[in-house]
């Protein structure tokens, strides 16, 4: 949390200098802190209670996450990008000197929001420090089993499981970012005004928030986290096909609805991937899995490349193999768990 706060603080000199690489450095530092946080918090929440309710607990985290994600573009858009269409026209009409002064003013608008974020992150960090959260300690039996596996090199057999989980997170975060971050440009592609398109991400996040709420309410009462993962992946395939083949602005609706399909993917991967692990294997698995977040950086670039060689709409076909992999992962992981239980029996 403190590393994230330091990254937000870098936005102040970046805005004062209006130096883009410094903005990128700030984002990099924030991303570093986020990755460390996720590496710790996801296995912690997974192990903090009934394993069958792990996806429910992560869904509750997701509600807070996406609610903030919905508000952020609205608030920052209202502060920084208000009357954005008129702003672009204004900048084009200004002389070079006046344009520089106006751009400086716009850059300075980000200082206060990021100062507030820095303060909030620091407050949360010190709140966590003194909250006395319970430590998750494996039982003696779990430690003995994991130690035996490590000594006999049986732990190496988990590497394949970890890599499947890594790939599942890689494609899951990739489809989440594509659905959320490309929808604005996709709206512009279909002729939507920038003043409207800048807020389209909030619709994707709102549908994702709805999925998180339903997950928190109905897992495992009405549906298991494994089935929720499978059905969400299948729904993602259906919505992607509709987005690609429905013509015009109507297809934007299905990109926004992908947020609903994506909601239960992240919460359900963690209990699937970390099932039965503790000690060193749990730490190793979490570290490998969290690196799958790189999918959110790489797959949008692939989407961008596909949109240039085809168009923005057809490029969404990239999502199909991603969802298909998650279907395979859920079926194979569940089958291995059943086979392992039968063997022990």
């Amino acid at each position: 949390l403190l590393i994230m706060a330091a990254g937000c603080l870098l936005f102040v000199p970046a805005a004062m200098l209006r130096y883009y690489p410094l903005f990128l450095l700030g984002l990099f530092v924030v991303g570093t802190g986020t990755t460390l946080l996720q590496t710790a918090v996801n296995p912690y929440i997974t192990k903090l209670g009934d394993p069958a309710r792990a996806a429910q607990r992560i869904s509750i985290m997701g509600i807070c996450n996406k609610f903030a994600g919905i508000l952020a573009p609205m608030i920052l858009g209202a502060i920084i990008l208000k009357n954005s269409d008129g702003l672009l026209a204004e900048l084009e009409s200004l002389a070079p000197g006046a344009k520089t002064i106006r751009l400086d003013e716009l850059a300075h608008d980000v200082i206060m929001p990021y100062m507030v974020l820095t303060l909030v992150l620091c407050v949360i960090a010190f709140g966590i420090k003194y909250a006395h959260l319970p430590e998750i300690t494996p039982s003696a039996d779990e430690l003995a089993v994991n130690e035996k596996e490590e000594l006999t090199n049986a732990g190496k057999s988990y590497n394949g499981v970890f890599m499947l989980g890594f790939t599942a997170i890689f494609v899951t975060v990739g489809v989440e970012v594509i659905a959320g971050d490309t929808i604005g440009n996709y709206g512009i592609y279909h002729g939507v005004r920038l003043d409207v398109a800048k807020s389209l991400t909030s619709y994707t996040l709102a549908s994702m928030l709805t999925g998180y709420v339903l997950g928190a309410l109905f897992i495992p009462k009405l549906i298991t986290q494994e089935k929720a993962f499978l059905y969400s992946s299948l729904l993602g395939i259906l919505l992607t096909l509709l987005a690609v083949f429905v013509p015009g602005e109507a297809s934007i609706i299905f990109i926004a609805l992908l947020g609903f399909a994506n909601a239960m993917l992240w919460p359900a991967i963690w209990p699937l991937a970390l099932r039965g692990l503790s000690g060193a294997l749990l730490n190793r698995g979490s570290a490998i899995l969290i690196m799958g977040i790189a999918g959110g950086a790489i797959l949008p670039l692939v989407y961008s490349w596909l949109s240039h060689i085809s168009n923005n709409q057809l490029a969404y076909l990239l999502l199909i193999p991603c969802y298909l992999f998650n279907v395979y992962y859920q079926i194979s992981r569940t089958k291995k768990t059943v086979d392992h239980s039968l063997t022990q029996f």
Side-chain angles (χ1 to χ4, degrees), residues 77 80-90 194-196 198:
I80 301 169
L81 293 176
K82 53 189 175 184
N83 189 28
S84 48
D85 288 315
L87 177 61
L88 291 174
E90 177 192 351
L194 179 58
D195 278 340
V196 177
K198 69 183 183 184

Side-chain angles (χ1 to χ4, degrees), residues 217-239:
L217 290 175
F218 298 129
I219 293 177
K221 295 177 183 177
L222 299 182
I223 186 172
T224 65
Q225 54 199 15
E226 293 82 5
K227 291 296 183 183
F229 183 82
L230 176 62
Y231 296 153
S232 294
S233 299
L234 294 173
L235 178 60
I237 294 172
L238 174 62
L239 291 173

Side-chain angles (χ1 to χ4, degrees), residues 25-45:
L25 177 62
L27 288 173
F28 181 85
V29 174
V30 171
T32 301
T34 303
T35 302
L36 291 170
L37 179 66
Q38 297 264 21
T39 303
V41 76
N42 286 290
Y44 182 79
I45 296 299

Side-chain angles (χ1 to χ4, degrees), residues 237-289:
I237 294 172
L238 174 62
L239 291 173
T240 300
L241 291 173
L242 289 171
V244 170
F245 294 109
V246 169
E249 291 185 23
S251 65
I252 300 173
I253 297 171
F254 300 108
I255 301 299
L257 289 175
L258 280 173
F260 180 80
N262 294 336
M264 288 314 303
L265 299 182
W266 175 271
I269 285 174
W270 289 92
L272 268 177
L274 299 179
R275 181 178 293 155
L277 302 181
S278 62
L281 287 178
L282 176 63
N283 295 336
R284 181 193 304 170
S286 178
I288 292 173
L289 290 174

